[in-house]
Amino acid sequence: MANRNLLEIDGIMSQWILELPDFVAKKMETFEVGTKLSPTDLVTSLDEDIQRDFEALIDEHFPDHQIVGEEKDNSGINMNQGYVWIIDPIDGTTNLVKQQDDYCLVLSLFIDGKPSLAYHYDFVNQKFYKAVDGEVPTVNGTEIKTPLLPSLADSLISFDPEPAGGLLTEKLIQASFGFRYEGAGGIGAMKIINGQIGASIDFYANVWDMSTQLLYAEQLGLVISDLKGNPIDLNHVKGAVFAHPDVFDDVIKLINE
């Protein structure tokens, strides 16, 4: 069972998340789009507005907590010390801008490096995924029970063919039932959780892309690692694989052949 302090934190955070759809709806018609490192690396005023609102919430209720986010400077933060929140306000920004689909909030809390809270909010389908250390994970209040897939050959997998390269892409397609590219780690994670795909490979994952997956893996019997199959180092995340256990080993082997 979760401790009382963690449940109190979850109560405040869950309320904030459930108010986000109205917050986002009011800004959807007027948000502005900019770029970061390249013309296809998009950021919107919506990402920034959600980030600011979240930071104000933390300042009000938990001023001693630290925040790691895609839209801020994270230098000097040690993921293994104290209370650290990780947020991607809009995971799938390009999906939002170009498709108005497949984008979500990704948010997690680590306490001295231990995954303690994990949230996804799927804005389009209005689904709120939540994991609390010591409690059963839920979606819209109903317990999640992941149907585990039996093999890579029987599974769809998600990855971006561009960083994979032609040879690895061909090997992954031949070994699996087929592939999809979600364009957002949070969307891929929800499909792993729901048993829709067997593995999600993110060659360029940062900590805000995959932080929630650690607690879901722990609670649902799933597996997460870096691209070599090693445990995730929260302070140096560069790539991640989130998978069903009977799919994981074959995926890691193909990546590293």
Side-chain angles (χ1 to χ4, degrees):
M1 180 177 292
N3 65 56
R4 181 178 177 182
N5 180 53
L6 190 59
L7 292 176
E8 289 174 352
I9 296 172
D10 168 58
I12 292 169
M13 203 53 56
S14 293
Q15 181 179 348
W16 178 76
I17 292 170
L18 290 170
E19 292 171 356
L20 270 184
D22 288 339
F23 180 89
V24 169
K26 291 175 182 176
K27 296 179 178 291
M28 280 296 287
E29 295 184 3
T30 60
F31 73 81
E32 299 175 353
V33 180
T35 60
K36 293 186 283 188
L37 299 179
S38 74
T40 58
D41 186 10
L42 304 181
V43 64
T44 72
S45 57
L46 185 56
D47 296 74
E48 294 165 347
D49 288 343
I50 293 173
Q51 178 101 15
R52 279 194 295 267
D53 198 59
F54 176 73
E55 290 174 355
L57 181 78
I58 296 301
D59 285 344
E60 177 183 356
H61 293 281
F62 314 113
D64 59 328
H65 292 196
Q66 299 184 88
I67 300 171
V68 169
E70 183 172 11
E71 313 305 335
K72 66 181 290 292
D73 177 13
N74 304 303
S75 57
I77 297 177
N78 186 336
M79 286 296 308
N80 297 312
Q81 293 181 358
Y83 287 70
V84 182
W85 291 93
I86 306 176
I87 183 170
D88 189 347
I90 298 289
D91 185 26
T93 301
T94 298
N95 292 348
L96 165 64
V97 173
K98 296 299 185 181
Q99 301 178 146
Q100 296 78 56
D101 199 1
D102 286 341
Y103 59 96
C104 63
L105 168 78
V106 177
L107 177 64
S108 59
L109 173 66
F110 289 77
I111 303 175
D112 294 326
K114 179 177 174 56
S116 300
L117 295 172
Y119 307 99
H120 292 107
Y121 190 86
D122 179 345
F123 290 102
V124 174
N125 296 301
Q126 298 182 350
K127 290 187 176 181
F128 179 27
Y129 292 76
K130 176 166 74 170
V132 179
D133 186 30
E135 302 288 317
V136 298
T138 60
V139 55
N140 289 352
T142 299
E143 181 178 355
I144 298 170
K145 295 182 179 178
T146 299
L148 297 177
L149 297 173
S151 68
L152 176 57
D154 195 47
S155 301
L156 293 172
I157 59 176
S158 174
F159 66 94
D160 181 354
E162 183 176 354
L167 180 59
L168 178 56
T169 294
E170 183 178 351
K171 288 180 179 180
L172 288 168
I173 291 173
Q174 289 178 347
S176 67
F177 194 83
F179 93 100
R180 303 291 184 269
Y181 178 43
E182 313 302 337
I187 297 296
M190 287 185 282
K191 291 189 176 184
I192 292 284
I193 290 165
N194 292 330
Q196 295 169 284
I197 59 177
S200 178
I201 308 165
D202 191 338
F203 293 96
Y204 294 146
N206 287 295
V207 68
W208 47 79
D209 297 308
M210 48 61 60
S211 64
T212 55
Q213 299 167 18
L214 288 153
L215 186 52
Y216 285 113
E218 185 179 304
Q219 293 189 334
L220 294 170
L222 302 167
V223 186
I224 183 167
S225 77
D226 68 12
L227 295 174
K228 293 187 178 297
N230 299 318
I232 295 290
D233 177 351
L234 291 169
N235 288 309
H236 302 93
V237 176
K238 287 297 176 186
V241 177
F242 187 37
H244 290 224
D246 290 332
V247 178
F248 174 79
D249 286 343
D250 287 338
V251 169
I252 292 294
K253 182 179 178 180
L254 287 169
I255 291 172
N256 290 283
E257 278 183 342

mmCIF file of all heavy atoms in Angstrom, residues 84-104:
data_model
loop_
_atom_site.group_PDB
_atom_site.id
_atom_site.type_symbol
_atom_site.label_atom_id
_atom_site.label_comp_id
_atom_site.label_asym_id
_atom_site.label_seq_id
_atom_site.Cartn_x
_atom_site.Cartn_y
_atom_site.Cartn_z
ATOM 1 N N VAL A 84 11.960 14.387 -7.367
ATOM 2 C CA VAL A 84 12.201 14.945 -8.699
ATOM 3 C C VAL A 84 11.035 14.581 -9.628
ATOM 4 O O VAL A 84 10.748 13.397 -9.833
ATOM 5 C CB VAL A 84 13.513 14.434 -9.318
ATOM 6 C CG1 VAL A 84 13.747 15.095 -10.681
ATOM 7 C CG2 VAL A 84 14.700 14.706 -8.392
ATOM 8 N N TRP A 85 10.387 15.598 -10.159
ATOM 9 C CA TRP A 85 9.331 15.426 -11.159
ATOM 10 C C TRP A 85 9.940 15.499 -12.549
ATOM 11 O O TRP A 85 10.850 16.289 -12.799
ATOM 12 C CB TRP A 85 8.282 16.528 -11.033
ATOM 13 C CG TRP A 85 7.453 16.454 -9.790
ATOM 14 C CD1 TRP A 85 7.686 17.095 -8.601
ATOM 15 C CD2 TRP A 85 6.256 15.694 -9.611
ATOM 16 N NE1 TRP A 85 6.701 16.787 -7.696
ATOM 17 C CE2 TRP A 85 5.807 15.924 -8.288
ATOM 18 C CE3 TRP A 85 5.510 14.850 -10.441
ATOM 19 C CZ2 TRP A 85 4.647 15.339 -7.777
ATOM 20 C CZ3 TRP A 85 4.359 14.253 -9.937
ATOM 21 C CH2 TRP A 85 3.936 14.498 -8.619
ATOM 22 N N ILE A 86 9.412 14.688 -13.461
ATOM 23 C CA ILE A 86 9.818 14.736 -14.862
ATOM 24 C C ILE A 86 8.565 14.936 -15.702
ATOM 25 O O ILE A 86 7.605 14.168 -15.580
ATOM 26 C CB ILE A 86 10.536 13.441 -15.291
ATOM 27 C CG1 ILE A 86 11.700 13.131 -14.348
ATOM 28 C CG2 ILE A 86 11.024 13.557 -16.721
ATOM 29 C CD1 ILE A 86 12.389 11.827 -14.653
ATOM 30 N N ILE A 87 8.582 15.956 -16.552
ATOM 31 C CA ILE A 87 7.392 16.270 -17.334
ATOM 32 C C ILE A 87 7.721 16.501 -18.806
ATOM 33 O O ILE A 87 8.701 17.155 -19.132
ATOM 34 C CB ILE A 87 6.645 17.504 -16.757
ATOM 35 C CG1 ILE A 87 5.344 17.774 -17.539
ATOM 36 C CG2 ILE A 87 7.543 18.736 -16.742
ATOM 37 C CD1 ILE A 87 4.436 18.808 -16.911
ATOM 38 N N ASP A 88 6.895 15.933 -19.654
ATOM 39 C CA ASP A 88 6.816 16.323 -21.056
ATOM 40 C C ASP A 88 5.376 16.797 -21.246
ATOM 41 O O ASP A 88 4.453 15.975 -21.296
ATOM 42 C CB ASP A 88 7.135 15.150 -21.986
ATOM 43 C CG ASP A 88 7.265 15.592 -23.438
ATOM 44 O OD1 ASP A 88 6.864 16.736 -23.753
ATOM 45 O OD2 ASP A 88 7.742 14.794 -24.268
ATOM 46 N N PRO A 89 5.153 18.101 -21.303
ATOM 47 C CA PRO A 89 3.783 18.616 -21.295
ATOM 48 C C PRO A 89 2.947 18.159 -22.483
ATOM 49 O O PRO A 89 1.770 17.840 -22.332
ATOM 50 C CB PRO A 89 3.961 20.134 -21.292
ATOM 51 C CG PRO A 89 5.402 20.409 -21.461
ATOM 52 C CD PRO A 89 6.170 19.154 -21.294
ATOM 53 N N ILE A 90 3.567 18.130 -23.662
ATOM 54 C CA ILE A 90 2.928 17.561 -24.849
ATOM 55 C C ILE A 90 3.926 16.623 -25.499
ATOM 56 O O ILE A 90 4.861 17.059 -26.177
ATOM 57 C CB ILE A 90 2.488 18.643 -25.856
ATOM 58 C CG1 ILE A 90 1.446 19.575 -25.250
ATOM 59 C CG2 ILE A 90 1.936 17.981 -27.127
ATOM 60 C CD1 ILE A 90 0.073 18.958 -25.031
ATOM 61 N N ASP A 91 3.754 15.332 -25.256
ATOM 62 C CA ASP A 91 4.577 14.338 -25.939
ATOM 63 C C ASP A 91 3.879 14.020 -27.258
ATOM 64 O O ASP A 91 2.721 13.597 -27.274
ATOM 65 C CB ASP A 91 4.686 13.083 -25.078
ATOM 66 C CG ASP A 91 5.617 12.051 -25.678
ATOM 67 O OD1 ASP A 91 6.518 12.437 -26.438
ATOM 68 O OD2 ASP A 91 5.441 10.849 -25.391
ATOM 69 N N GLY A 92 4.598 14.260 -28.357
ATOM 70 C CA GLY A 92 3.974 14.131 -29.669
ATOM 71 C C GLY A 92 3.567 15.480 -30.223
ATOM 72 O O GLY A 92 2.499 15.614 -30.812
ATOM 73 N N THR A 93 4.430 16.478 -30.039
ATOM 74 C CA THR A 93 4.101 17.834 -30.501
ATOM 75 C C THR A 93 3.855 17.864 -32.009
ATOM 76 O O THR A 93 2.920 18.518 -32.481
ATOM 77 C CB THR A 93 5.228 18.816 -30.129
ATOM 78 O OG1 THR A 93 5.410 18.815 -28.710
ATOM 79 C CG2 THR A 93 4.879 20.227 -30.570
ATOM 80 N N THR A 94 4.675 17.157 -32.779
ATOM 81 C CA THR A 94 4.465 17.121 -34.228
ATOM 82 C C THR A 94 3.125 16.477 -34.563
ATOM 83 O O THR A 94 2.410 16.928 -35.477
ATOM 84 C CB THR A 94 5.612 16.364 -34.916
ATOM 85 O OG1 THR A 94 6.841 17.052 -34.668
ATOM 86 C CG2 THR A 94 5.393 16.270 -36.424
ATOM 87 N N ASN A 95 2.758 15.422 -33.844
ATOM 88 C CA ASN A 95 1.454 14.791 -34.054
ATOM 89 C C ASN A 95 0.322 15.790 -33.798
ATOM 90 O O ASN A 95 -0.669 15.834 -34.535
ATOM 91 C CB ASN A 95 1.277 13.588 -33.122
ATOM 92 C CG ASN A 95 2.206 12.436 -33.462
ATOM 93 O OD1 ASN A 95 2.830 12.427 -34.520
ATOM 94 N ND2 ASN A 95 2.304 11.473 -32.565
ATOM 95 N N LEU A 96 0.466 16.576 -32.727
ATOM 96 C CA LEU A 96 -0.530 17.595 -32.420
ATOM 97 C C LEU A 96 -0.650 18.601 -33.555
ATOM 98 O O LEU A 96 -1.755 18.908 -34.026
ATOM 99 C CB LEU A 96 -0.152 18.309 -31.119
ATOM 100 C CG LEU A 96 -0.870 19.641 -30.827
ATOM 101 C CD1 LEU A 96 -2.359 19.430 -30.652
ATOM 102 C CD2 LEU A 96 -0.261 20.318 -29.602
ATOM 103 N N VAL A 97 0.484 19.141 -33.995
ATOM 104 C CA VAL A 97 0.475 20.211 -34.995
ATOM 105 C C VAL A 97 0.002 19.706 -36.355
ATOM 106 O O VAL A 97 -0.799 20.359 -37.027
ATOM 107 C CB VAL A 97 1.877 20.840 -35.111
ATOM 108 C CG1 VAL A 97 1.933 21.841 -36.258
ATOM 109 C CG2 VAL A 97 2.268 21.513 -33.795
ATOM 110 N N LYS A 98 0.477 18.545 -36.778
ATOM 111 C CA LYS A 98 0.222 18.063 -38.127
ATOM 112 C C LYS A 98 -0.998 17.147 -38.247
ATOM 113 O O LYS A 98 -1.577 17.030 -39.333
ATOM 114 C CB LYS A 98 1.456 17.312 -38.657
ATOM 115 C CG LYS A 98 2.690 18.197 -38.817
ATOM 116 C CD LYS A 98 2.439 19.313 -39.819
ATOM 117 C CE LYS A 98 3.695 20.129 -40.077
ATOM 118 N NZ LYS A 98 3.447 21.235 -41.036
ATOM 119 N N GLN A 99 -1.383 16.488 -37.146
ATOM 120 C CA GLN A 99 -2.462 15.503 -37.232
ATOM 121 C C GLN A 99 -3.611 15.755 -36.261
ATOM 122 O O GLN A 99 -4.680 15.162 -36.394
ATOM 123 C CB GLN A 99 -1.920 14.085 -36.952
ATOM 124 C CG GLN A 99 -0.835 13.648 -37.901
ATOM 125 C CD GLN A 99 -0.283 12.269 -37.567
ATOM 126 O OE1 GLN A 99 0.093 11.514 -38.444
ATOM 127 N NE2 GLN A 99 -0.229 11.931 -36.285
ATOM 128 N N GLN A 100 -3.352 16.579 -35.245
ATOM 129 C CA GLN A 100 -4.329 16.771 -34.163
ATOM 130 C C GLN A 100 -4.732 15.430 -33.555
ATOM 131 O O GLN A 100 -5.900 15.187 -33.221
ATOM 132 C CB GLN A 100 -5.565 17.545 -34.642
ATOM 133 C CG GLN A 100 -5.285 18.969 -35.078
ATOM 134 C CD GLN A 100 -4.664 19.047 -36.473
ATOM 135 O OE1 GLN A 100 -5.249 18.541 -37.426
ATOM 136 N NE2 GLN A 100 -3.508 19.671 -36.587
ATOM 137 N N ASP A 101 -3.760 14.547 -33.394
ATOM 138 C CA ASP A 101 -4.000 13.208 -32.871
ATOM 139 C C ASP A 101 -2.709 12.674 -32.253
ATOM 140 O O ASP A 101 -1.615 13.177 -32.515
ATOM 141 C CB ASP A 101 -4.451 12.289 -34.008
ATOM 142 C CG ASP A 101 -5.154 11.026 -33.511
ATOM 143 O OD1 ASP A 101 -5.320 10.868 -32.281
ATOM 144 O OD2 ASP A 101 -5.535 10.193 -34.355
ATOM 145 N N ASP A 102 -2.839 11.661 -31.397
ATOM 146 C CA ASP A 102 -1.691 10.940 -30.841
ATOM 147 C C ASP A 102 -0.702 11.844 -30.111
ATOM 148 O O ASP A 102 0.497 11.866 -30.412
ATOM 149 C CB ASP A 102 -0.964 10.148 -31.931
ATOM 150 C CG ASP A 102 -1.726 8.913 -32.372
ATOM 151 O OD1 ASP A 102 -2.611 8.467 -31.611
ATOM 152 O OD2 ASP A 102 -1.457 8.390 -33.463
ATOM 153 N N TYR A 103 -1.187 12.588 -29.132
ATOM 154 C CA TYR A 103 -0.323 13.385 -28.260
ATOM 155 C C TYR A 103 -0.835 13.257 -26.833
ATOM 156 O O TYR A 103 -2.024 13.003 -26.598
ATOM 157 C CB TYR A 103 -0.267 14.851 -28.706
ATOM 158 C CG TYR A 103 -1.602 15.549 -28.746
ATOM 159 C CD1 TYR A 103 -2.052 16.320 -27.675
ATOM 160 C CD2 TYR A 103 -2.431 15.454 -29.868
ATOM 161 C CE1 TYR A 103 -3.280 16.963 -27.714
ATOM 162 C CE2 TYR A 103 -3.656 16.090 -29.909
ATOM 163 C CZ TYR A 103 -4.073 16.845 -28.837
ATOM 164 O OH TYR A 103 -5.291 17.471 -28.879
ATOM 165 N N CYS A 104 0.059 13.410 -25.876
ATOM 166 C CA CYS A 104 -0.334 13.152 -24.492
ATOM 167 C C CYS A 104 0.586 13.883 -23.519
ATOM 168 O O CYS A 104 1.676 14.324 -23.875
ATOM 169 C CB CYS A 104 -0.299 11.649 -24.198
ATOM 170 S SG CYS A 104 1.348 10.898 -24.340
#
